[in-house]
Amino acid sequence: MEPTHSNYITNTPIAEDGSFEIKLDSTVSKGMYRITYAVPQEEYNFDVIYNGEEDIELTFNPETGVKFLASRENKLLESYTNSMLMITNSIGNYYRDGNETKDTLALASIFKTQSNTQKGFEAASKGTIAYHFIKANTPYIPNKVVDVETYITHLEKHYFDHVDFNNKTLQHSKFLTERMLNYVFGMSSQNGDEDDDYKKT
């Protein structure tokens, strides 16, 4: 993937049992690659990290998405994404259930888990392509318990704190585009004023 387009590399047939194998030679660059499996290509695709050092094994289902069986980098990023999503859901459930004044220790524990998870995955992914995405995806994590309004305000304010728009690895992926779209539509859905948010960005 390039910053403005994708370069075609190769294709492969899908066997009767649904399996496929793509072989890349040593001239292929490390980076983010997009596998397309139907048309329109913009809709039917998924991305993988290729570091030139390990085979990638995966299963794919259009309904459930990609599951990596082998490839340390892809499994790291997949595990990070799933872990942080569960924590984010816990935070959302806490605020949604109106627990703000009832069990502040629970919320503090969730934030501590979030912080430790972020640090743990950054340490585990040091020196890999996956690290760039894990670091750039660092969320706002309060160092104390805050009410929901304060949390959302700071979530918006610090959304891009760890995103380096000059990072070549991020530029050669869909990350920056998706990050900006999530900011526009995610924040507008939280405060209900989509027009104002769109103008601000």
Side-chain angles (χ1 to χ4, degrees), residues 7-179:
N7 289 329
Y8 170 80
I9 301 297
T10 188
N11 63 63
T12 190
I14 298 178
E16 288 186 13
D17 64 358
S19 65
F20 67 92
E21 182 177 15
I22 300 173
K23 292 186 177 182
L24 303 176
D25 60 39
S26 60
T27 64
V28 175
S29 303
K30 300 177 182 180
M32 188 64 73
Y33 282 77
R34 174 161 294 164
I35 297 177
T36 59
Y37 57 91
V39 291
Q41 295 182 11
E42 297 77 17
E43 183 176 347
Y44 298 105
N45 63 70
F46 57 90
D47 294 349
V48 298
I49 296 172
Y50 175 69
N51 62 18
E53 301 169 3
E54 58 180 3
D55 290 337
I56 302 169
E57 295 180 24
L58 58 86
T59 60
F60 174 74
N61 182 304
E63 302 298 322
T64 58
V66 182
K67 173 73 176 173
F68 291 98
L69 307 177
S71 169
R72 177 175 175 268
E73 290 211 37
N74 284 287
K75 291 178 77 171
L76 256 177
L77 189 56
E78 178 182 63
S79 181
Y80 168 78
T81 302
N82 292 338
S83 297
M84 294 304 273
L85 180 60
M86 285 192 292
I87 295 170
T88 300
N89 287 340
S90 295
I91 294 170
N93 290 338
Y94 178 91
Y95 284 126
R96 197 175 299 114
D97 293 341
N99 293 321
E100 293 179 55
T101 58
K102 298 176 184 176
D103 191 358
T104 56
L105 286 177
L107 184 59
S109 176
I110 295 171
F111 287 143
K112 184 177 181 180
T113 299
Q114 189 178 37
S115 178
N116 290 340
T117 301
Q118 181 66 38
K119 291 174 184 175
F121 275 100
E122 285 183 24
S125 63
K126 276 282 190 184
T128 70
I129 295 171
Y131 172 81
H132 299 273
F133 299 98
I134 291 171
K135 181 67 177 176
N137 205 54
T138 304
Y140 159 68
I141 306 173
N143 54 19
K144 62 179 181 179
V145 172
V146 295
D147 59 51
V148 65
E149 289 80 11
T150 302
Y151 180 74
I152 292 174
T153 297
H154 283 84
L155 199 64
E156 179 178 357
K157 180 179 179 182
H158 298 286
Y159 195 76
F160 294 104
D161 281 5
H162 300 276
V163 179
D164 178 5
F165 285 88
N166 294 314
N167 183 299
K168 298 295 183 186
T169 301
L170 300 183
Q171 289 177 354
H172 287 74
S173 75
K174 63 182 179 183
F175 179 85
L176 295 176
T177 300
E178 288 193 343
R179 190 76 173 170

